[in-house]
Amino acid sequence: MSEPDADTYALKSAALAEVAAPALPYQPPMPRSYRPRIGVIGAGGIVSAHLDAYRTAGWEVAAICNRTLAKAEAKAAEFAPKARVTDRWEEVLNDPAIDVVDITPHPADRLPIIEAALRAGKHVLSQKPFVLDLAEGRHLVALARENGVRLAVNQNGRWAPHLAYMREAVRAGLIGEVISAHVGIHWSHGWIAGTPFEKIEDLILYDFGIHWFDFLRSVIGPRARTVFATAAHATGQTARAPLLAQVLVQMEGGQASLVFDGATPHGPRDTTFIAGTKGSLQSDGPDLGQQSVTLTTASGIARPRLEGTWFNDGFRGAMGALLVAIEDGTEPANGAEENLDSLALAFAAIQSRRTGKPVRVGAATSLAL
């Protein structure tokens, strides 16, 4: 048997030829001509990203609702001066001129509003994470189908340029079958101290991490089998919820990992690596808005120049995908039914964190054990 050479032992890489990057449909989808009047229910801080994205896309926001009327008035004044403001969400649902509603409150508060909207015949974009229980989610999916309307989830990370390009490269078969996928995010999430977010026990794995569970599901499909996760408080953090979490995913014919270092005060970094049987993808940068992607195959290394940013193009993508689905009579790319698979990964991770044991994907059906 021949011995490997020194370069093999040293894991040295060879120089690669620079090749043209393939053009892929990574940018936010836009309906051809469908321009509904949109009602927005909930006017918290993140809604500014929604409203700015809709304004940029040229979509009409006809109503903004918030239980604190002054917040709705402030958002309307900044982003949609012609929008009607109200503190009663029922008024938005009772308006026959409004076809689509963007519902943004927290999951427990959001559930009855979504149900009422679907019964009122409105198409719905739900804020993420979609639901607290998979059975509740399946009920809403069935209700949307019964009423002939579309139900989508605001997984805006799907249209972050780097994540979108990598997903489309995988789906185009450019790297073959996925063998592994690894995400490492190092940033400061300490802003949650003193806000309602720090009361969410598994904030990082649920409210924040759902973006990456959703991304993982989009590139590996239904291959995940078991999940093992941990979480911890970082030295010196002031927020109540743990800001550190990590996840190991065993999948059919491969593995995946998510590492969330949410208490990094300086030098933030975000990296994503996907290895396949025919190539690999890598994205790297100081934050989620500044990323450089490379695609490596036997042909060489490609460096696509991507346009756009997660905030606020990702929000334009989430609503745009819903509008395209309504226009074409298809299921949204961010449809609620598929999103339940992403939530199943998150729920398995949370149950694993709580029990200290690996959890089979699908065994955890809600945030409650």
Side-chain angles (χ1 to χ4, degrees):
M1 180 182 298
S2 61
E3 290 289 331
D5 59 28
D7 285 350
T8 302
Y9 274 122
L11 304 178
K12 288 187 176 180
S13 61
L16 297 172
E18 295 279 341
V19 298
L24 296 171
Y26 71 91
Q27 293 183 319
M30 287 284 289
R32 295 180 301 278
S33 59
Y34 180 53
R35 296 294 185 271
R37 301 179 80 227
I38 299 170
V40 176
I41 298 176
I46 195 63
V47 169
S48 293
H50 299 226
L51 295 171
D52 181 65
Y54 304 163
R55 178 177 60 182
T56 301
W59 300 327
E60 179 186 359
V61 174
I64 301 176
C65 171
N66 197 77
R67 59 189 177 187
T68 302
L69 189 61
K71 289 186 177 181
E73 292 171 339
K75 297 298 183 185
E78 183 176 3
F79 297 102
K82 295 182 180 180
R84 177 163 60 94
V85 296
T86 177
D87 56 3
R88 296 186 66 250
W89 55 262
E90 294 89 349
E91 290 184 5
V92 179
L93 302 186
N94 289 334
D95 186 343
I98 291 176
D99 293 337
V100 177
V101 287
D102 178 359
I103 303 177
T104 72
H106 293 293
D109 298 328
R110 191 167 64 231
L111 184 66
I113 305 175
I114 294 177
E115 182 166 352
L118 297 174
R119 294 188 186 280
K122 308 297 185 185
H123 303 286
V124 172
L125 179 66
S126 166
Q127 182 58 285
K128 61 82 199 163
F130 178 36
V131 288
L132 299 171
D133 185 282
L134 297 183
E136 293 174 349
R138 286 191 289 270
H139 167 68
L140 294 176
V141 168
L143 191 59
R145 190 172 293 120
E146 291 170 10
N147 286 276
V149 292
R150 300 289 182 262
L151 174 59
V153 180
N154 189 13
Q155 292 289 172
N156 45 78
R158 285 195 170 213
W159 289 278
H162 64 295
L163 297 180
Y165 189 91
M166 297 174 87
R167 179 187 66 246
E168 295 304 321
V170 170
R171 292 184 174 180
L174 299 183
I175 66 167
E177 191 77 6
V178 173
I179 297 170
S180 63
H182 303 287
V183 175
I185 307 175
H186 318 278
W187 83 112
S188 176
H189 210 63
W191 63 267
I192 66 168
T195 75
F197 285 100
E198 70 172 341
K199 298 177 183 178
I200 302 174
E201 181 181 6
D202 285 288
L203 174 82
I204 298 299
L205 289 174
Y206 179 60
D207 184 78
F208 184 81
I210 188 60
H211 285 299
W212 285 272
F213 287 116
D214 185 67
F215 173 70
L216 181 60
R217 176 63 175 75
S218 76
V219 296
I220 70 170
R223 294 169 57 193
R225 296 292 175 261
T226 63
V227 178
F228 179 73
T230 62
H233 287 80
T235 299
Q237 76 166 74
T238 58
R240 289 168 52 185
L243 294 180
L244 307 179
Q246 53 190 341
V247 182
L248 297 176
V249 179
Q250 181 185 40
M251 66 189 202
E252 181 183 339
Q255 63 181 2
S257 66
L258 306 175
V259 175
F260 303 112
D261 288 338
T264 303
H266 306 289
R269 190 176 184 186
D270 171 32
T271 64
T272 304
F273 182 83
I274 305 173
T277 54
K278 296 180 179 179
S280 65
L281 290 153
Q282 181 173 331
S283 185
D284 184 77
D287 55 47
L288 298 174
Q290 303 177 72
Q291 289 285 303
S292 298
V293 174
T294 58
L295 165 65
T296 305
T297 64
S299 299
I301 185 167
R303 307 179 193 275
R305 292 189 175 184
L306 304 181
E307 297 180 355
T309 57
W310 184 332
F311 281 64
N312 294 329
D313 291 328
F315 295 83
R316 180 161 56 92
M319 177 58 80
L322 173 59
L323 301 186
V324 167
I326 298 168
E327 184 175 57
D328 293 345
T330 59
E331 182 67 11
N334 51 341
E337 185 169 21
E338 179 186 308
N339 190 251
L340 294 177
D341 294 332
S342 302
L343 273 175
L345 281 172
F347 289 162
I350 291 166
Q351 182 163 322
S352 175
R353 195 283 301 170
R354 294 176 180 177
T355 63
K357 300 177 181 179
V359 173
R360 178 177 55 82
V361 176
T365 59
S366 74
L367 285 185
L369 288 177

